[in-house]
Amino acid sequence: MTSTHAFWLAGRQATGEDAFDVTSPWDGRLVGKVSIPTDAQVEEAVAAAYAVENEFAATPAHVRAAALDHVSKRLVERTEEIAQLISAENGKPIKWARGEVGRAVSVFRFAAEEARRFNGGEAQRLDTDAGGTGRLALTRRFPRGTILGIAPFNFPLNLCAHKVAPAIAVGAPIILKPAPATPLSGLILGELLAETDLPAGSWSVLPVANDKMPALVQDERLPVISFTGSEKVGYAIMDSVPRKHCTLELGGNGAAVVLADWASDQDLDWAATRIATFSNYQAGQSCISVQRVIADASVYERLVPKIVAAVESQVTGDPNDAGTDVGPLVNEDAAKRVESWVEEAVKAGATLLTGGKRDGASYAPTVLADVPADTTISCEEVFGPVLTVRKVEGEAEAFAAVNDSKFGLQAGVFTHDLQTAFRAHRELEVGGVIVGDVPSYRADQMPYGGVKQSGVGREGVRYAMDDYTYERVMVFTGLAL
């Protein structure tokens, strides 16, 4: 008999009247039952967060830092248990699940460090004009208010961490809504936060049904919304609350550019291996997975067979097997969508170089060439293990191809030339340029986010802390400066 997982309401465990099942996308087994908060319980959590805003903002830095350190250390102690849970509810291969726990460990550690440094303030002399004689400005940052953090299924622990840890670091209460498909990892964070001395009401983890979210989004007591997910949902949220502060980390169709100077066998082997790995890790369910390869004509014919071979060497199968590279997508519907996009591209004239087969929720790692520009897979985020390859003539055409997209999250540029790297940084319309590697690289302390339809704002602990706060200036008068 599977027990029902409680949720976390204002720092304490609670259960509602109903529950839902969480099942494995790999074999359909029941992973757990999760209690659903009632409308009254959601209201209680929001009211508690709103009531504790001033108290939490005034909490000493050492208290917030100690709580963050505690969660980081406890994640280390429970790494294998949590990794198994991520793999079970998400279908992520266990090696990638262990890596995700390790990243969450770092996120909470970074947040503890930033909490200790946060809000030292900046002093500014104002006597640069006569009217400012004797005046000094001190600028500090203060929380905007309670945060509604909405997390996705693809990194069910670490992207919850990226909502929660910066909020605690700045002293902002947070209501965390984990994804319905993968709520158990977020509830684990609740267990660890409950072991700390944070004020009651300063955090809740509520597995609220998606159809109940509009009311939470509209609630005036939640002035900050941090959302990671689809472009459609993210902008619908922003459009519905134009006066709120929204941070949106949305989709992408990450491009890896291989330029003419990346031409040795060693260079191409490295690029092919990295492209194959990071077009298929998490079954392609990452906003910065490699979806497009844009290769200079001088290296294209040598590179593409290497990519195909590297993709075909990806081990698919049971996510519990330590040797598995590619597991299932989050559900069968997701795999069917990917299948339909590939079929559309092939019917339109694309060449299938490898893959193209579905088995339940699993989709074989796939490479397509000669893909027409107007097909769905060229224009949208596939969010599956599918890669397209394209030949271009020179750097200018390559960079134009990267920019010929409504998305702009990250791009990878394989080049040895420093001037080319700086041109890429200047010209590519993305939030991050990764030189000498794929667009899928992310360090959790760096600024992360996109431009165009890939969202607004930045994650990465310190940068999220900036988004969660605003500057407030205080002016001293009559000082002998």
Side-chain angles (χ1 to χ4, degrees):
M1 186 74 177
T2 302
S3 60
T4 299
H5 294 262
F7 51 85
W8 295 91
L9 194 169
R12 71 179 193 279
Q13 282 191 310
T15 56
E17 298 169 355
D18 297 312
F20 64 94
D21 293 342
V22 179
T23 58
S24 166
W26 169 246
D27 56 16
R29 68 184 171 88
L30 181 65
V31 179
K33 287 182 174 291
V34 174
S35 185
I36 303 171
T38 65
D39 292 348
Q41 288 171 320
V42 172
E43 166 59 27
E44 183 181 349
V46 174
Y50 184 70
V52 83
E53 282 182 351
N54 290 337
E55 176 189 347
F56 195 29
T59 301
H62 72 86
V63 173
R64 287 178 274 117
L68 293 161
D69 274 330
H70 174 83
V71 174
S72 180
K73 291 171 183 174
R74 291 287 283 138
L75 286 170
V76 172
E77 294 169 0
R78 297 178 63 177
T79 291
E80 188 59 26
E81 170 202 349
I82 298 171
Q84 294 286 347
L85 182 64
I86 292 171
S87 185
E89 68 173 344
N90 173 275
K92 183 174 298 191
I94 189 64
K95 70 175 184 179
W96 295 115
R98 289 172 181 142
E100 180 174 349
V101 180
R103 289 180 61 185
V105 168
S106 296
V107 168
F108 277 93
R109 187 180 75 249
F110 296 151
E113 294 166 358
E114 293 293 346
R116 294 183 174 98
R117 288 190 287 263
F118 177 68
N119 224 355
E122 178 183 352
Q124 180 184 19
R125 292 180 66 137
L126 301 179
D127 60 354
T128 48
D129 286 320
T133 299
R135 295 182 186 268
L136 180 77
L138 177 65
T139 303
R140 297 165 63 201
R141 300 191 72 88
F142 294 86
R144 295 177 184 272
T146 299
I147 297 154
L148 174 59
I150 307 172
F153 71 82
N154 57 328
F155 289 87
L157 178 71
N158 196 40
L159 293 184
C160 285
H162 271 285
K163 309 298 182 193
V164 172
I168 293 171
V170 301
I174 182 165
I175 307 291
L176 175 69
K177 182 219 179 281
T182 57
L184 300 175
S185 301
L187 294 174
I188 284 280
L189 283 183
E191 288 184 35
L192 306 185
L193 289 168
E195 299 170 355
T196 71
D197 294 326
L198 294 174
S202 61
W203 60 272
S204 293
V205 183
L206 303 179
V208 179
N210 286 345
D211 62 2
K212 296 286 188 179
M213 286 305 295
L216 264 179
V217 167
Q218 293 289 336
D219 196 307
E220 293 182 357
R221 295 167 295 178
L222 305 173
V224 181
I225 298 175
S226 177
F227 172 85
T228 302
S230 74
E231 166 202 5
K232 179 180 178 181
V233 175
Y235 283 113
I237 288 173
M238 176 176 276
D239 291 344
S240 73
V241 286
R243 290 178 176 81
K244 289 196 177 190
H245 184 84
C246 294
T247 298
L248 305 179
E249 197 279 282
L250 308 177
N253 56 359
V257 177
V258 184
L259 294 175
D261 69 307
W262 199 269
S264 71
D265 287 339
Q266 183 179 6
D267 284 344
L268 296 180
D269 286 342
W270 162 258
T273 299
R274 298 293 285 177
I275 287 166
T277 297
F278 289 98
S279 64
N280 294 293
Y281 84 127
Q282 331 287 340
Q285 297 170 127
S286 168
C287 297
I288 47 176
S289 67
V290 185
Q291 184 170 333
R292 299 181 290 157
V293 174
I294 299 164
D296 189 88
S298 63
V299 298
Y300 182 88
E301 301 300 336
R302 293 165 58 212
L303 174 64
V304 171
K306 291 177 183 287
I307 291 174
V308 171
V311 167
E312 290 177 343
S313 72
Q314 294 285 299
V315 178
T316 62
D318 187 349
N320 295 303
D321 188 330
T324 297
D325 299 311
V326 187
L329 280 81
V330 68
N331 54 45
E332 188 169 358
D333 285 345
K336 286 180 177 178
R337 177 189 55 77
V338 173
E339 179 182 44
S340 70
W341 287 15
V342 172
E343 289 176 350
E344 176 203 18
V346 171
K347 287 178 182 177
T351 302
L352 180 66
L353 300 181
T354 191
K357 296 180 181 179
R358 181 180 65 83
D359 181 8
S362 297
Y363 195 79
T366 297
V367 182
L368 295 168
D370 311 312
V371 181
D374 59 350
T375 57
T376 305
I377 212 161
S378 289
C379 303
E380 301 295 336
E381 178 182 38
V382 65
F383 225 58
V386 180
L387 178 68
T388 68
V389 293
R390 173 181 175 181
K391 183 192 302 184
V392 294
E393 296 285 349
E395 174 192 308
E397 186 178 346
F399 288 179
V402 174
N403 291 339
D404 186 20
S405 171
K406 67 179 181 178
F407 296 109
L409 193 47
Q410 292 197 161
V413 180
F414 288 89
T415 182
H416 295 290
D417 187 80
L418 187 61
Q419 293 293 346
T420 299
F422 273 89
R423 280 195 297 275
H425 197 202
R426 182 174 64 249
E427 295 178 14
L428 295 182
E429 298 166 355
V430 293
V433 177
I434 313 300
V435 178
D437 206 351
V438 291
S440 317
Y441 177 80
R442 178 184 180 184
D444 291 285
Q445 70 271 38
M446 78 185 201
Y448 176 76
V451 296
K452 299 193 283 190
Q453 298 301 301
S454 287
V456 295
R458 290 295 180 268
E459 288 193 339
V461 176
R462 182 169 67 83
Y463 304 93
M465 291 169 67
D466 286 345
D467 256 325
Y468 290 173
T469 56
Y470 69 98
E471 293 175 318
R472 185 187 298 166
V473 66
M474 176 169 61
V475 176
F476 295 94
T477 305
L479 298 180
L481 299 175

